[in-house]
Each structure stands twice: as structure tokens, then as C-alpha cells.
Amino acid sequence: MEDVQIESSWKQVLKEEFEKPYFTELREWVKERYKTSIVYPPAKQIFQAFDLCPFDNVKVVILGQDPYHGTGQAHGLCFSVLEGVPFPPSLQNIFKEMLDDVKKPIPKSGDLSYLAKQGVFLLNATLTVEKDKAGSHQNKGWETFTDSVIRILAEKKSNLVFLLWGSFAGKKEILIPPNKHLVLKSAHPSPLSAYRGFLGNRHFSKTNAYLQSIGKESIDW
């Protein structure tokens, strides 16, 4: 499908998906929403997670649910915000756990592009949202698409680390063959649940220990 602007290796592995009727409908619906509403992220950044982390480079998958729906927050990577944007509460807790687990000082910027460039695929289940309307683009086809992305990654690659935070992400475990990959689950980093098992989950050091055990370079969190 020529008008899906996405990094070339992903375009190749997702070619059949882009040709399915549901995706054609989704694409047209999303185009219309961008014309008539304020939609995040900016259209050119819908596939930013894919563009910054080519298929062959993926080592770790982190799954979010929806893009942030506040002005200037979402830029196509789950949990990430651009430099200069205050950290949303979930991101604050992610940085807290990084500090506690791998002694990573809390950064000045909430832009997680540096992780994507190391092979951390930061995928939201729904790739677009309307301003100030959480969940407004759910159940339109994005979840079918991103479930296929997870399934294709799990089938075509080996020894990935899937970090599934919260009950929504945890349900995606059924898409992942357990004997081929490391799946780490915990509570969500949201303030509503972070103290029920996200903080202290040690997912960042566990990920690196696993990557090192299979001869891959660890992530500089």
C-alpha cells in the first residue's frame, strides 16, 4: 500500500496486513479524523515507533495502550514525550524504577527515542487519539493491526523481551510463544497501580541480564 509511510523493513513484513480490508477502512477513517478533529500524534509520527526501530533491530518490546491525548505530548512512542514537555505520571514512575533498578539518573527529557534507537520497540496498541478524549480511537482497527505486529514479531524473531505492564498489556501474552521469548509482566506504571508491583519489578536489569545471556548487547536505559 503506497501511501503508508513507514520504515522499509516494516513495510516488507507488514505488506499483507496493509492490504487487508480492515486496514483500508482504518486508514480512511483515520485520514478523515485528521481532517475534522485535532488528532495526536502528528500524522507524520503515527509510525514513529517503527521508523526509529527497524524490524531487524528489535530486541525489546514495551506495549502501551493509547497515545497521550494532551497538547504536544504524543509523538508516536509509548510512554514518551518530547523534550520540554513535563513528564506524565506513568513516565515519572518508569524513570523512578530505572533509577532504583539500574541506577539510571532521571533524565531532563522524557523523549524515549534513545531507547528506540537501541532496539526497544515502544508500541501503543492504538496509534492515534483525539485531543482530550482518552480512548477515542479504540476499537476502530488499530488493535487488530498492533496484535498482528506483536504476533509477527513473536513468530519471525527469537529471544525478544516483552515487557507487559498492566492488565491490558498482560492479555497480549497469548500472542507470544513462551518458549521463544522472555515475557516479563507487572502492574502498570500509572500512579493508580505502580505501588502494586511496577515499582520494584526490576524489569530493566532482568532484560539486560537476559540479553547478555544470549550474547546480545544490553540496553543503556
Side-chain angles (χ1 to χ4, degrees), residues 107-159:
K108 292 187 169 61
S109 168
D111 186 347
L112 302 181
S113 298
Y114 74 98
L115 294 178
K117 290 169 185 172
Q118 295 180 72
V120 181
F121 185 48
L122 296 159
L123 180 68
N124 274 317
T126 302
L127 297 188
T128 54
V129 71
E130 276 165 50
K131 181 181 189 308
D132 300 332
K133 293 182 184 172
S136 49
H137 287 192
Q138 289 176 6
N139 304 314
K140 303 296 181 187
W142 278 131
E143 296 92 337
T144 304
F145 172 70
T146 53
D147 278 2
S148 291
V149 170
I150 294 166
R151 199 180 289 111
I152 287 165
L153 275 167
E155 283 172 5
K156 290 186 180 283
K157 295 180 77 82
S158 299
N159 303 119

Side-chain angles (χ1 to χ4, degrees), residues 159-161 180-182 206-214:
N159 303 119
L160 296 178
V161 182
K180 280 182 75 182
H181 305 285
L182 176 65
K206 287 174 182 174
T207 295
N208 279 350
Y210 179 76
L211 291 173
Q212 287 166 355
S213 78
I214 56 168

Side-chain angles (χ1 to χ4, degrees), residues 83-99:
E83 192 162 347
V85 177
F87 301 167
S90 291
L91 185 57
Q92 289 178 30
N93 284 329
I94 289 169
F95 286 147
K96 265 187 207 168
E97 180 58 22
M98 283 182 183
L99 174 64

